[in-house]
Amino acid sequence: MSIDSLIAISNALSVSTDAILFGEITYDKEPYCKEFTDIMLYCSDKEKKHIMQAARYAKQLIHDIKS
Protein backbone atom coordinates (compact mmCIF):
# COMPACT_ATOMS: atom_id res chain seq x y z
CA MET A 1 0.00 0.00 0.00
CA SER A 2 1.30 3.46 -0.81
CA ILE A 3 1.54 6.15 1.86
CA ASP A 4 -1.00 8.19 -0.10
CA SER A 5 -3.48 5.30 0.08
CA LEU A 6 -2.85 4.86 3.79
CA ILE A 7 -3.49 8.55 4.43
CA ALA A 8 -6.63 8.54 2.28
CA ILE A 9 -8.02 5.55 4.20
CA SER A 10 -7.07 7.12 7.51
CA ASN A 11 -8.84 10.35 6.61
CA ALA A 12 -11.92 8.55 5.28
CA LEU A 13 -12.28 6.56 8.50
CA SER A 14 -11.25 9.41 10.81
CA VAL A 15 -8.67 7.20 12.50
CA SER A 16 -4.95 7.75 12.87
CA THR A 17 -2.50 6.03 10.58
CA ASP A 18 -0.98 4.56 13.78
CA ALA A 19 -4.27 2.84 14.54
CA ILE A 20 -4.33 1.34 11.04
CA LEU A 21 -0.70 0.23 11.13
CA PHE A 22 -0.36 -0.89 14.73
CA GLY A 23 -3.88 -1.82 15.80
CA GLU A 24 -6.27 -0.26 18.23
CA ILE A 25 -4.95 2.58 20.32
CA THR A 26 -6.74 3.28 23.57
CA TYR A 27 -8.15 6.78 23.84
CA ASP A 28 -10.01 8.54 26.60
CA LYS A 29 -13.62 7.90 25.56
CA GLU A 30 -15.14 10.63 27.71
CA PRO A 31 -14.41 13.54 25.30
CA TYR A 32 -16.04 11.59 22.48
CA CYS A 33 -19.16 10.91 24.54
CA LYS A 34 -19.54 14.60 25.36
CA GLU A 35 -19.00 15.64 21.75
CA PHE A 36 -21.52 13.07 20.52
CA THR A 37 -24.04 14.24 23.11
CA ASP A 38 -23.49 17.85 22.04
CA ILE A 39 -24.01 16.93 18.40
CA MET A 40 -27.25 15.10 19.16
CA LEU A 41 -28.62 17.74 21.52
CA TYR A 42 -30.43 19.90 18.96
CA CYS A 43 -31.18 17.25 16.35
CA SER A 44 -34.65 16.21 15.34
CA ASP A 45 -35.67 12.59 15.89
CA LYS A 46 -35.18 11.95 12.18
CA GLU A 47 -31.67 13.46 12.27
CA LYS A 48 -30.79 11.39 15.34
CA LYS A 49 -31.95 8.23 13.59
CA HIS A 50 -29.75 8.96 10.54
CA ILE A 51 -26.74 9.89 12.68
CA MET A 52 -27.05 6.65 14.66
CA GLN A 53 -27.35 4.62 11.45
CA ALA A 54 -24.23 6.33 10.07
CA ALA A 55 -22.34 5.71 13.33
CA ARG A 56 -23.27 2.03 13.34
CA TYR A 57 -22.21 1.70 9.70
CA ALA A 58 -18.88 3.45 10.36
CA LYS A 59 -18.23 1.23 13.38
CA GLN A 60 -18.90 -1.90 11.31
CA LEU A 61 -16.57 -0.70 8.54
CA ILE A 62 -13.78 -0.07 11.04
CA HIS A 63 -14.38 -3.47 12.65
CA ASP A 64 -14.29 -5.20 9.25
CA ILE A 65 -11.03 -3.48 8.31
CA LYS A 66 -9.40 -4.47 11.60
CA SER A 67 -10.44 -8.12 11.14
Side-chain angles (χ1 to χ4, degrees):
M1 170 187 308
S2 73
I3 191 72
D4 291 335
S5 295
L6 174 63
I7 292 169
I9 291 168
S10 172
N11 289 335
L13 297 175
S14 297
V15 297
S16 71
T17 54
D18 287 347
I20 293 172
L21 292 172
F22 303 113
E24 186 171 339
I25 298 174
T26 304
Y27 294 101
D28 181 11
K29 295 176 184 168
E30 187 61 33
Y32 298 110
C33 292
K34 180 177 177 357
E35 183 177 3
F36 193 76
T37 299
D38 290 346
I39 289 169
M40 299 291 269
L41 188 60
Y42 297 107
C43 291
S44 68
D45 288 343
K46 186 175 182 178
E47 290 169 328
K48 289 175 184 176
K49 177 182 173 185
H50 289 293
I51 290 168
M52 288 303 299
Q53 287 174 336
R56 285 186 196 104
Y57 179 72
K59 181 181 177 194
Q60 186 62 49
L61 283 175
I62 292 166
H63 174 75
D64 291 347
I65 288 170
K66 289 177 13 181
S67 298

